[in-house]
Amino acid sequence: MKPVNWSAYARESDIIPEINPAYRGLVEHCVATVAGWALQPGDVVADIGGGTGNFSIALAVALPTVTILHTDFNEDMLAIARRKAGEYKIQNWRAAELDVQREEWSTPPLAGIVTVHCLYSFPNPQGVVRKMAASLRRGGFLYACDLGRVMNTLDWTLYLLKDSLRTRGLRATLGLLLRA
């Protein structure tokens, strides 16, 4: 299997929330779930494998008294996330480069962890989950969403095309295809 070029993916990944209604719904579900956790002002919630920041930034906006720690191993992902967080002028959002597979984590005790669509990409996802559990304070929370399998990209593409044709029409859909 050819390795993923995460830097190239970073440059194009923000088209996903634009064209995928299920992804936007997942961001909303994540924020609503984390907002329901018994968090105290000053608690830290980490987004592990946070990519370009769609989840962590939404969490920081919704939970201004909680510190959101955005982590990713790819500097291009982090740069895009930092730029987007700066546009929101949020004060409770921090970014850190972290390769969760290789490095020991030097995070404060975490009140919660969010990880969305990244566990499948690790050769040892169970080891990463063990690290997550070890970094949570007693009674901490975990929001994990992952395919747990190799994704069928044809099914996903057909779903996106159908929704785009329905909501945008043929011309805009063709433009998206060329762009993506």
Side-chain angles (χ1 to χ4, degrees), residues 16-37:
I16 294 170
E18 181 182 330
I19 65 172
N20 187 344
Y23 184 90
R24 292 189 303 273
L26 182 56
V27 173
E28 293 170 6
H29 183 268
C30 176
V31 170
T33 300
V34 176
W37 292 350

mmCIF file of all heavy atoms in Angstrom, residues 16-37:
data_model
loop_
_atom_site.group_PDB
_atom_site.id
_atom_site.type_symbol
_atom_site.label_atom_id
_atom_site.label_comp_id
_atom_site.label_asym_id
_atom_site.label_seq_id
_atom_site.Cartn_x
_atom_site.Cartn_y
_atom_site.Cartn_z
ATOM 1 N N ILE A 16 -13.658 18.837 2.454
ATOM 2 C CA ILE A 16 -14.541 17.803 3.006
ATOM 3 C C ILE A 16 -15.738 18.405 3.735
ATOM 4 O O ILE A 16 -16.877 18.039 3.441
ATOM 5 C CB ILE A 16 -13.756 16.809 3.882
ATOM 6 C CG1 ILE A 16 -12.778 16.024 2.995
ATOM 7 C CG2 ILE A 16 -14.689 15.868 4.625
ATOM 8 C CD1 ILE A 16 -11.774 15.190 3.763
ATOM 9 N N PRO A 17 -15.546 19.342 4.683
ATOM 10 C CA PRO A 17 -16.747 19.887 5.329
ATOM 11 C C PRO A 17 -17.633 20.674 4.370
ATOM 12 O O PRO A 17 -18.830 20.782 4.579
ATOM 13 C CB PRO A 17 -16.207 20.786 6.439
ATOM 14 C CG PRO A 17 -14.751 20.885 6.242
ATOM 15 C CD PRO A 17 -14.326 19.823 5.294
ATOM 16 N N GLU A 18 -17.035 21.189 3.319
ATOM 17 C CA GLU A 18 -17.810 21.946 2.334
ATOM 18 C C GLU A 18 -18.753 21.043 1.546
ATOM 19 O O GLU A 18 -19.882 21.426 1.258
ATOM 20 C CB GLU A 18 -16.845 22.654 1.384
ATOM 21 C CG GLU A 18 -17.507 23.494 0.330
ATOM 22 C CD GLU A 18 -16.505 24.126 -0.618
ATOM 23 O OE1 GLU A 18 -15.365 24.407 -0.204
ATOM 24 O OE2 GLU A 18 -16.871 24.329 -1.781
ATOM 25 N N ILE A 19 -18.301 19.838 1.216
ATOM 26 C CA ILE A 19 -19.090 18.991 0.320
ATOM 27 C C ILE A 19 -19.738 17.791 1.000
ATOM 28 O O ILE A 19 -20.515 17.093 0.357
ATOM 29 C CB ILE A 19 -18.238 18.499 -0.873
ATOM 30 C CG1 ILE A 19 -17.115 17.574 -0.402
ATOM 31 C CG2 ILE A 19 -17.708 19.667 -1.681
ATOM 32 C CD1 ILE A 19 -16.358 16.900 -1.535
ATOM 33 N N ASN A 20 -19.431 17.540 2.265
ATOM 34 C CA ASN A 20 -19.924 16.329 2.914
ATOM 35 C C ASN A 20 -20.843 16.677 4.085
ATOM 36 O O ASN A 20 -20.367 17.024 5.169
ATOM 37 C CB ASN A 20 -18.741 15.486 3.395
ATOM 38 C CG ASN A 20 -19.167 14.141 3.932
ATOM 39 O OD1 ASN A 20 -20.332 13.911 4.233
ATOM 40 N ND2 ASN A 20 -18.216 13.242 4.067
ATOM 41 N N PRO A 21 -22.153 16.573 3.906
ATOM 42 C CA PRO A 21 -23.075 16.902 4.995
ATOM 43 C C PRO A 21 -22.918 15.977 6.206
ATOM 44 O O PRO A 21 -23.127 16.401 7.344
ATOM 45 C CB PRO A 21 -24.460 16.769 4.358
ATOM 46 C CG PRO A 21 -24.268 15.933 3.145
ATOM 47 C CD PRO A 21 -22.851 16.150 2.694
ATOM 48 N N ALA A 22 -22.531 14.736 5.980
ATOM 49 C CA ALA A 22 -22.327 13.816 7.105
ATOM 50 C C ALA A 22 -21.162 14.284 7.977
ATOM 51 O O ALA A 22 -21.203 14.154 9.207
ATOM 52 C CB ALA A 22 -22.086 12.401 6.589
ATOM 53 N N TYR A 23 -20.138 14.836 7.365
ATOM 54 C CA TYR A 23 -18.990 15.350 8.121
ATOM 55 C C TYR A 23 -19.411 16.545 8.972
ATOM 56 O O TYR A 23 -19.066 16.633 10.148
ATOM 57 C CB TYR A 23 -17.872 15.745 7.147
ATOM 58 C CG TYR A 23 -16.597 16.192 7.817
ATOM 59 C CD1 TYR A 23 -15.596 15.275 8.128
ATOM 60 C CD2 TYR A 23 -16.378 17.525 8.136
ATOM 61 C CE1 TYR A 23 -14.422 15.672 8.733
ATOM 62 C CE2 TYR A 23 -15.211 17.939 8.747
ATOM 63 C CZ TYR A 23 -14.234 17.010 9.041
ATOM 64 O OH TYR A 23 -13.073 17.415 9.654
ATOM 65 N N ARG A 24 -20.175 17.461 8.390
ATOM 66 C CA ARG A 24 -20.662 18.605 9.163
ATOM 67 C C ARG A 24 -21.523 18.133 10.332
ATOM 68 O O ARG A 24 -21.434 18.660 11.435
ATOM 69 C CB ARG A 24 -21.442 19.560 8.263
ATOM 70 C CG ARG A 24 -20.561 20.264 7.240
ATOM 71 C CD ARG A 24 -21.300 21.376 6.498
ATOM 72 N NE ARG A 24 -22.499 20.942 5.801
ATOM 73 C CZ ARG A 24 -22.523 20.451 4.564
ATOM 74 N NH1 ARG A 24 -21.405 20.323 3.882
ATOM 75 N NH2 ARG A 24 -23.669 20.098 4.000
ATOM 76 N N GLY A 25 -22.346 17.121 10.091
ATOM 77 C CA GLY A 25 -23.155 16.561 11.169
ATOM 78 C C GLY A 25 -22.310 15.930 12.262
ATOM 79 O O GLY A 25 -22.645 16.018 13.443
ATOM 80 N N LEU A 26 -21.203 15.314 11.868
ATOM 81 C CA LEU A 26 -20.300 14.709 12.851
ATOM 82 C C LEU A 26 -19.633 15.783 13.722
ATOM 83 O O LEU A 26 -19.498 15.607 14.934
ATOM 84 C CB LEU A 26 -19.243 13.858 12.146
ATOM 85 C CG LEU A 26 -18.265 13.114 13.039
ATOM 86 C CD1 LEU A 26 -18.977 12.207 14.038
ATOM 87 C CD2 LEU A 26 -17.299 12.301 12.173
ATOM 88 N N VAL A 27 -19.242 16.898 13.123
ATOM 89 C CA VAL A 27 -18.674 18.003 13.914
ATOM 90 C C VAL A 27 -19.709 18.477 14.934
ATOM 91 O O VAL A 27 -19.393 18.642 16.124
ATOM 92 C CB VAL A 27 -18.211 19.165 13.013
ATOM 93 C CG1 VAL A 27 -17.796 20.374 13.856
ATOM 94 C CG2 VAL A 27 -17.056 18.739 12.108
ATOM 95 N N GLU A 28 -20.947 18.661 14.484
ATOM 96 C CA GLU A 28 -22.015 19.104 15.390
ATOM 97 C C GLU A 28 -22.250 18.088 16.505
ATOM 98 O O GLU A 28 -22.428 18.466 17.673
ATOM 99 C CB GLU A 28 -23.302 19.345 14.611
ATOM 100 C CG GLU A 28 -23.229 20.517 13.661
ATOM 101 C CD GLU A 28 -24.419 20.599 12.720
ATOM 102 O OE1 GLU A 28 -25.385 19.808 12.869
ATOM 103 O OE2 GLU A 28 -24.373 21.461 11.811
ATOM 104 N N HIS A 29 -22.253 16.806 16.162
ATOM 105 C CA HIS A 29 -22.454 15.756 17.165
ATOM 106 C C HIS A 29 -21.316 15.756 18.187
ATOM 107 O O HIS A 29 -21.554 15.638 19.398
ATOM 108 C CB HIS A 29 -22.572 14.396 16.484
ATOM 109 C CG HIS A 29 -22.845 13.279 17.437
ATOM 110 N ND1 HIS A 29 -21.841 12.527 18.022
ATOM 111 C CD2 HIS A 29 -24.011 12.797 17.928
ATOM 112 C CE1 HIS A 29 -22.380 11.641 18.817
ATOM 113 N NE2 HIS A 29 -23.702 11.781 18.788
ATOM 114 N N CYS A 30 -20.109 15.888 17.718
ATOM 115 C CA CYS A 30 -18.946 15.914 18.610
ATOM 116 C C CYS A 30 -19.041 17.085 19.582
ATOM 117 O O CYS A 30 -18.878 16.908 20.791
ATOM 118 C CB CYS A 30 -17.658 16.002 17.779
ATOM 119 S SG CYS A 30 -16.160 16.150 18.771
ATOM 120 N N VAL A 31 -19.321 18.266 19.061
ATOM 121 C CA VAL A 31 -19.418 19.451 19.922
ATOM 122 C C VAL A 31 -20.543 19.284 20.943
ATOM 123 O O VAL A 31 -20.362 19.570 22.136
ATOM 124 C CB VAL A 31 -19.608 20.733 19.081
ATOM 125 C CG1 VAL A 31 -19.966 21.928 19.964
ATOM 126 C CG2 VAL A 31 -18.343 21.022 18.263
ATOM 127 N N ALA A 32 -21.686 18.793 20.514
ATOM 128 C CA ALA A 32 -22.804 18.594 21.447
ATOM 129 C C ALA A 32 -22.450 17.568 22.515
ATOM 130 O O ALA A 32 -22.796 17.742 23.695
ATOM 131 C CB ALA A 32 -24.049 18.158 20.681
ATOM 132 N N THR A 33 -21.756 16.508 22.127
ATOM 133 C CA THR A 33 -21.365 15.479 23.095
ATOM 134 C C THR A 33 -20.388 16.035 24.117
ATOM 135 O O THR A 33 -20.575 15.882 25.330
ATOM 136 C CB THR A 33 -20.751 14.266 22.373
ATOM 137 O OG1 THR A 33 -21.728 13.731 21.471
ATOM 138 C CG2 THR A 33 -20.322 13.194 23.360
ATOM 139 N N VAL A 34 -19.337 16.692 23.645
ATOM 140 C CA VAL A 34 -18.316 17.224 24.561
ATOM 141 C C VAL A 34 -18.915 18.324 25.438
ATOM 142 O O VAL A 34 -18.580 18.425 26.623
ATOM 143 C CB VAL A 34 -17.077 17.712 23.779
ATOM 144 C CG1 VAL A 34 -16.060 18.363 24.717
ATOM 145 C CG2 VAL A 34 -16.430 16.542 23.027
ATOM 146 N N ALA A 35 -19.819 19.119 24.898
ATOM 147 C CA ALA A 35 -20.474 20.158 25.701
ATOM 148 C C ALA A 35 -21.283 19.545 26.849
ATOM 149 O O ALA A 35 -21.510 20.201 27.868
ATOM 150 C CB ALA A 35 -21.368 21.027 24.819
ATOM 151 N N GLY A 36 -21.690 18.291 26.719
ATOM 152 C CA GLY A 36 -22.432 17.607 27.765
ATOM 153 C C GLY A 36 -21.567 16.949 28.827
ATOM 154 O O GLY A 36 -22.089 16.437 29.820
ATOM 155 N N TRP A 37 -20.258 16.943 28.624
ATOM 156 C CA TRP A 37 -19.361 16.371 29.628
ATOM 157 C C TRP A 37 -19.285 17.292 30.840
ATOM 158 O O TRP A 37 -19.474 18.506 30.732
ATOM 159 C CB TRP A 37 -17.952 16.198 29.063
ATOM 160 C CG TRP A 37 -17.820 15.160 27.979
ATOM 161 C CD1 TRP A 37 -18.749 14.242 27.577
ATOM 162 C CD2 TRP A 37 -16.686 14.958 27.140
ATOM 163 N NE1 TRP A 37 -18.249 13.470 26.548
ATOM 164 C CE2 TRP A 37 -16.985 13.890 26.260
ATOM 165 C CE3 TRP A 37 -15.436 15.567 27.033
ATOM 166 C CZ2 TRP A 37 -16.085 13.422 25.306
ATOM 167 C CZ3 TRP A 37 -14.537 15.118 26.085
ATOM 168 C CH2 TRP A 37 -14.857 14.038 25.239
#
